[in-house]
Amino acid sequence: MTSLIANVIGVQGSQLLWASFGITTALVFFLVLVFNMIGDALGGASFNPTGTASFYAAGVGADTLFSMALRFPAQTLGAVGGALAIKEVIPAQYKHLIGGPSLKVDLHTGAIAEGLLTFLITFIVLVIILKGPRSSLLKTLLLAVVTVALVVAGSVYTGPSMNPANVSKRFPSSFVCVFFTE
């Protein structure tokens, strides 16, 4: 999508790197904004179990241990259902693009990189949401910038991901509660 938009607006050459970052950030901003509106319309639904766990651990929100025990499986089922739905409706010529991230370094380096990136995104999200600007649009923009920056930083190690479970593709037994839709 980013390259398509870059071609349409005529960005090329040395401008492409920064333009790609800006276009991707704008796309992430739009998607997060839409999902926030959907979540608000559904009464505060959350689409990311990492955020739910972080806010619970920080003592923020009204979640109890019981509600967390119900929310996590629901979010997992929703993620699996969404991934399967995407696999069903994506045109055949694009199916090769959805292979997902893969480990590009040794297992220990990948585990450290993914763990560090996951910690950073979780910590920065908590800071932005709890101590950041009051404007929800500005918060969403900051979240988009941070997400894209950390995904780009981690792409050297495991592709576009910030999920420590991805390093376990070679050794699935190294993580207990990991599922893959592949």
Side-chain angles (χ1 to χ4, degrees):
M1 185 71 130
T2 300
S3 60
L4 179 69
I5 294 171
N7 286 335
V8 168
I9 62 175
V11 177
Q12 55 187 321
S14 62
Q15 302 169 336
L16 191 57
L17 176 67
W18 292 106
S20 293
F21 184 80
I23 293 167
T24 304
T25 302
L27 289 171
V28 170
F29 171 77
F30 175 74
L31 290 173
V32 170
L33 192 65
V34 168
F35 277 109
N36 283 345
M37 287 190 272
I38 292 170
D40 289 343
L42 294 174
S46 173
F47 298 97
N48 187 348
T50 304
T52 305
S54 335
F55 289 114
Y56 177 75
V60 178
D63 279 319
T64 63
L65 192 56
F66 181 72
S67 69
M68 295 288 288
L70 295 176
R71 188 179 290 236
F72 273 174
Q75 288 173 324
T76 301
L77 290 173
V80 170
L84 293 174
I86 288 170
K87 282 187 164 189
E88 289 297 319
V89 299
I90 193 164
Q93 72 251 30
Y94 298 112
K95 283 198 185 251
H96 71 282
L97 297 174
I98 61 167
S102 61
L103 200 56
K104 297 178 180 179
V105 294
D106 65 280
L107 182 64
H108 294 94
T109 304
I112 290 169
E114 289 294 319
L116 182 63
L117 289 168
T118 302
F119 170 78
L120 284 173
I121 190 71
T122 303
F123 181 73
I124 293 170
V125 165
L126 280 171
V127 169
I128 290 171
I129 298 299
L130 299 178
K131 301 289 184 184
R134 289 188 178 148
S135 166
S136 63
L137 284 177
L138 192 53
K139 282 182 184 181
T140 304
L141 179 62
L142 288 173
L143 291 172
V145 169
V146 167
T147 300
V148 172
L150 288 175
V151 166
V152 168
S155 66
V156 177
Y157 302 101
T158 57
S161 172
M162 283 183 294
N163 183 355
N166 285 324
V167 301
S168 69
K169 278 194 172 184
R170 277 195 255 168
F171 304 101
S173 61
S174 61
F175 288 88
V176 178
C177 296
V178 177
F179 66 91
F180 297 101
T181 58
E182 296 182 342

